[in-house]
Amino acid sequence: MAIGAEAGPAVAAEARAAIAAEPRPAAGVGSAVAAEAHAGVAPGARPAVAALSFGADVVLVVAGVPGAGKTTLLRRLFPPGTAGVRVLDSDHTRTWWRPYLGRLPYRWWRPIVHVTHYARVLLALRAPGPVVVHECATKSWVRRMLFTAARRSRRPVHLLLLDVHPRDALAGQEARGRRVRAASFAAHCRNWQDLMDGAEATREAASVTRMGRAGATRLEAIHFVG
């Protein structure tokens, strides 16, 4: 989702500020991997790994700002027909609604997509097995909802944070041909940086893995065992 069709060719000042600002070191997440920085790994980043492993009945939230590469990663690692894992991507929900509402501007039916997506996530938690959730994670009320629902279903929540520069996220939006409004993207970037800077937002997670675009590209598999 790049800077919005509704924003016109000129990028809003808010979005320009978000793009120009280099991400600050992530105090909340990065402090947990300070030792890795001494090995030549950027603070707050995990060394490149080929695979990640989690337990069987977990919730894995794949998070990042619009355009960070969440859907691309999920499509590559969990292609259609993958057995034993329920992948809840809002893009699937959008595709489902498009034949009925596609003639209308997306901003009019975006709330319907979001409500449907979250309802599907909550329903998926009622059945056994791992659940993988596509989520920006830039809204605190959504994070609270996910953690509360997972806790009630006695599932640990693991976070996979795709932390990319706003410029890369904008390029990702352009590549897929779906863009968010400039002001909305700037808000996502601000909230994402707050998430990176604050340990409180992630303290309920069983684990937090943070990687950039290169690390996500090198990730070959996500396994659920147990």
Side-chain angles (χ1 to χ4, degrees):
M1 305 178 187
I3 278 181
E6 298 145 295
V11 180
E14 269 194 302
R16 284 202 301 269
I19 297 168
E22 292 290 336
R24 301 186 301 275
V29 180
S31 58
V33 291
E36 295 170 332
H38 295 292
V41 180
R46 299 284 186 179
V49 294
L52 296 173
S53 294
F54 303 96
D57 288 321
V58 304
V59 179
L60 174 63
V61 179
V62 179
V65 300
K70 302 181 295 295
T71 293
T72 300
L73 180 67
L74 292 177
R75 284 177 177 171
R76 180 168 60 83
L77 299 184
F78 303 104
T82 300
V85 181
R86 280 159 297 162
V87 178
L88 286 304
D89 188 336
S90 57
D91 193 60
H92 301 163
T93 307
R94 185 182 301 105
T95 299
W96 189 90
W97 277 111
R98 185 170 287 118
Y100 306 100
L101 302 173
R103 293 185 179 182
L104 301 173
Y106 179 59
R107 66 181 181 276
W108 291 5
W109 50 285
R110 182 188 297 112
I112 297 176
V113 171
H114 290 172
V115 170
T116 305
H117 174 59
Y118 296 140
R120 287 177 170 175
V121 171
L122 296 179
L123 286 173
L125 295 180
R126 297 183 179 182
V131 177
V132 179
V133 181
H134 171 296
E135 173 54 43
C136 288
T138 53
K139 296 179 180 178
S140 59
W141 71 267
V142 174
R143 294 196 301 268
R144 287 196 300 270
M145 178 192 70
L146 289 174
F147 277 109
T148 299
R151 186 167 56 249
R152 289 176 177 173
S153 62
R154 298 185 178 181
R155 294 171 179 266
V157 177
H158 298 267
L159 300 180
L160 174 54
L161 307 179
L162 303 185
D163 189 22
V164 305
H165 192 280
R167 287 194 189 91
D168 295 328
L170 287 173
Q173 295 172 33
E174 291 286 358
R176 71 186 181 190
R178 191 175 70 251
R179 303 177 294 177
V180 299
R181 292 174 294 117
S184 178
F185 179 67
H188 276 295
C189 290
R190 288 195 304 272
N191 293 340
W192 180 260
Q193 194 60 61
D194 290 342
L195 178 66
M196 293 294 95
D197 288 347
E200 182 176 357
T202 57
R203 66 184 178 184
E204 290 191 65
S207 73
V208 179
T209 303
R210 180 185 175 201
M211 61 178 58
R213 179 65 57 83
T217 300
R218 288 192 289 268
L219 185 62
E220 297 177 0
I222 295 178
H223 303 295
F224 298 96
V225 297

